[in-house]
Amino acid sequence: MLPYFIPIELYRKKIYSTEKASRRFLDITEDQLEEIEKKVDKKRAMMDEDITPYEMRKTDKLDRYQKILQYLTNPMIHLELKTFDEKMAFMIKMCDPNLVTYREFLKRRILSFGEVCKVQDKDERIRLIREREQSLSDYEAAVREQIGFYDPKLLRYEEAFFKRYYGEKELITGINANNQDSLIFRAKFLKDFDSVSDERYQELTDLAQSLLALVPDKFNTSSATYSVLEQKKLLGLKSTAEQLALFVLLVDSELDMLRIYEEESMMPIIKERILEEFGYFNTELLTLERKYHERFCPDKKVSVWTKVKND
C-alpha cells in the first residue's frame, strides 16, 4: 500500500507541474500509443502480482490510481515515458480507459461560471450558483462511482485524447453539455448556403436520415453541435455551410423554430416556446433557419405568415 501520510494531492500537483508542455497528444502516433498500451498491460500485471489474495479483495480503483500517480512522478519514469503527454496517455489507459470522466461530462448540462455571472438578477444568480454546484457534485459522484476517483484536470486531457484517437471513428450522441457557442459563432458569419449544391444537399439529407435512425429520438442541439463541429471528417463535411445545413437537418428539419418566431410577436414568448421544445435558444438560430429556408426550401410555407418564393 502507498504511504498515506503523503497526500494524493502532492503526487497530482507534481505530475501536472509540467502540463504546459502538453501538445494534446498530437506528437503521439497510433503506433506509439500501442507501445504505451503494452507498457500499461505490463505494469498492470506487475501490480496484480504484488497483491496478495486478501489485498486483491480490498484494493480498489482509487488505490490503483494512487499507485500510478506515484509511479509517474518517480524520476526514473523518464526512461520509459519521456513527455507529459506520454504520461497522461499511460494514466488514461491505466485508470480510465473508457474515458468515463469525459463521457459523463458530455451527458450533463453544467452551467459555466461565465453563464452564471451574466445573470443580472441577484436571486436568480444565487439560484444558478447552487444549481451549478449541485451539478458539479453529481458529476463528480458519478465519476467516482465508476472509476473510483475524481481528477478534475483529467477532463481536458481525456477530451483531447478522445478527439485525437477516437473522434473520427466513433459517433457520440446523447450529449447535453453546453457547446453551442462555437456553432453560433459560425452561424453568425455565414452569409448564405449558396455554396451547397442541390446534389450535395440531397446527400446531406440522406446522411441526416441515416444518423437520425441511430438515435431513439431526434438529435438535441448539443449532440448535433458536437457531431457537425467535432466530427466533421467522420461525417464527410467539407465546409461551414455543410456543417450548418446538417445541423438544421438533424435538429429542426421542419423549421419549427422559424414557425414559432413567425407565429409569435413577443421575443420572450418566442424564447420560452423554443426553449421548451428544443432546450436551447439563440436568435442566430432563427437567422440561420431563414437562410436555410431561402436556399433549400423557398416554396415551403412554415406558417401563415411565411413569405414563399411564388407569393
Side-chain angles (χ1 to χ4, degrees):
M1 302 292 290
L2 280 181
Y4 281 103
F5 59 88
I6 301 179
I8 189 173
E9 285 301 327
L10 291 182
Y11 289 122
R12 190 180 285 166
K13 184 176 180 180
K14 187 174 181 180
I15 194 170
Y16 286 115
S17 65
T18 59
E19 67 177 324
K20 288 184 178 180
S22 175
R23 292 260 303 149
R24 299 297 193 269
F25 308 107
L26 293 176
D27 296 332
I28 302 178
T29 66
E30 295 205 6
D31 288 341
Q32 290 171 322
L33 182 61
E34 287 184 9
E35 292 301 313
I36 292 175
E37 289 173 342
K38 291 177 182 178
K39 293 175 182 178
V40 168
D41 292 339
K42 182 179 178 181
K43 181 62 178 177
R44 184 179 288 116
M46 290 173 61
M47 290 175 68
D48 291 343
E49 287 178 2
D50 291 339
I51 299 175
T52 66
Y54 173 71
E55 288 177 324
M56 183 87 68
R57 288 194 296 271
K58 71 176 184 177
T59 298
D60 59 16
K61 295 175 182 177
L62 177 59
D63 292 322
R64 185 181 292 271
Y65 172 64
Q66 290 175 314
K67 290 178 179 178
I68 292 304
L69 281 178
Q70 185 184 38
Y71 172 70
L72 292 176
T73 52
N74 188 315
M76 297 302 293
I77 193 62
H78 289 290
L79 298 176
E80 294 188 44
L81 302 167
K82 295 181 173 59
T83 68
F84 174 82
D85 284 344
E86 288 179 356
K87 294 175 185 177
M88 292 307 300
F90 185 96
M91 182 192 291
I92 290 170
K93 281 293 184 178
M94 173 66 84
C95 300
D96 191 10
N98 295 320
L99 306 181
V100 169
T101 303
Y102 181 51
R103 293 179 189 274
E104 278 295 328
F105 178 80
L106 290 178
K107 292 179 184 178
R108 300 167 186 276
R109 175 70 172 92
I110 301 176
L111 292 170
S112 68
F113 186 72
E115 288 178 288
V116 174
C117 290
K118 289 178 182 179
V119 176
Q120 299 297 319
D121 184 78
K122 181 180 178 181
D123 292 338
E124 177 65 8
R125 188 164 63 249
I126 291 173
R127 186 189 70 80
L128 292 178
I129 289 173
R130 291 172 178 168
E131 178 183 318
R132 169 180 157 79
E133 290 175 348
Q134 185 60 54
S135 297
L136 288 170
S137 178
D138 292 343
Y139 164 61
E140 178 177 341
V143 173
R144 286 187 185 278
E145 181 179 358
Q146 294 178 70
I147 64 174
F149 68 93
Y150 174 67
D151 179 345
K153 282 197 171 185
L154 191 59
L155 173 60
R156 72 183 68 169
Y157 296 105
E158 286 199 3
E159 177 182 8
F161 191 87
F162 177 85
K163 291 178 180 179
R164 174 70 176 88
Y165 301 109
Y166 305 116
E168 301 302 338
K169 299 176 183 177
E170 174 191 346
L171 185 71
I172 292 188
T173 60
I175 295 173
N176 289 303
N178 180 23
N179 57 359
Q180 288 90 359
D181 286 351
S182 295
L183 181 128
I184 294 302
F185 178 81
R186 287 166 172 77
K188 185 175 182 179
F189 289 97
L190 179 73
K191 181 180 179 181
D192 51 48
F193 286 99
D194 289 352
S195 63
V196 182
S197 67
D198 292 343
E199 180 181 4
R200 181 55 178 156
Y201 174 67
Q202 185 57 54
E203 293 174 351
L204 293 174
T205 302
D206 294 341
L207 174 60
Q209 291 174 351
S210 67
L211 293 174
L212 289 168
L214 298 175
V215 295
D217 199 357
K218 65 182 181 182
F219 270 67
N220 61 26
T221 57
S222 296
S223 291
T225 297
Y226 190 93
S227 295
V228 302
L229 295 188
E230 303 294 347
Q231 302 190 285
K232 58 184 180 181
K233 291 183 181 179
L234 177 65
L235 298 176
L237 303 175
K238 302 172 184 177
S239 68
T240 297
E242 289 186 4
Q243 289 174 295
L244 295 173
L246 182 59
F247 173 83
V248 175
L249 285 165
L250 289 173
V251 172
D252 190 19
S253 60
E254 293 300 315
L255 304 181
D256 286 331
M257 290 189 200
L258 191 57
R259 172 182 58 78
I260 291 171
Y261 172 74
E262 295 188 351
E263 288 177 350
E264 303 290 351
S265 59
M266 299 180 66
M267 188 56 73
I269 298 177
I270 294 170
K271 180 178 180 180
E272 181 180 356
R273 288 186 59 186
I274 292 178
L275 279 174
E276 182 178 353
E277 185 166 345
F278 294 93
Y280 179 78
F281 173 80
N282 189 293
T283 55
E284 288 297 335
L285 292 182
L286 299 173
T287 304
L288 177 69
E289 289 201 355
R290 189 177 295 109
K291 295 173 182 176
Y292 177 97
H293 180 264
E294 291 173 358
R295 170 64 185 89
F296 299 119
C297 47
D299 296 328
K300 180 180 179 65
K301 206 167 186 66
V302 179
S303 77
V304 295
W305 306 104
T306 305
K307 181 178 180 181
V308 298
K309 183 178 181 181
N310 295 324
D311 285 355

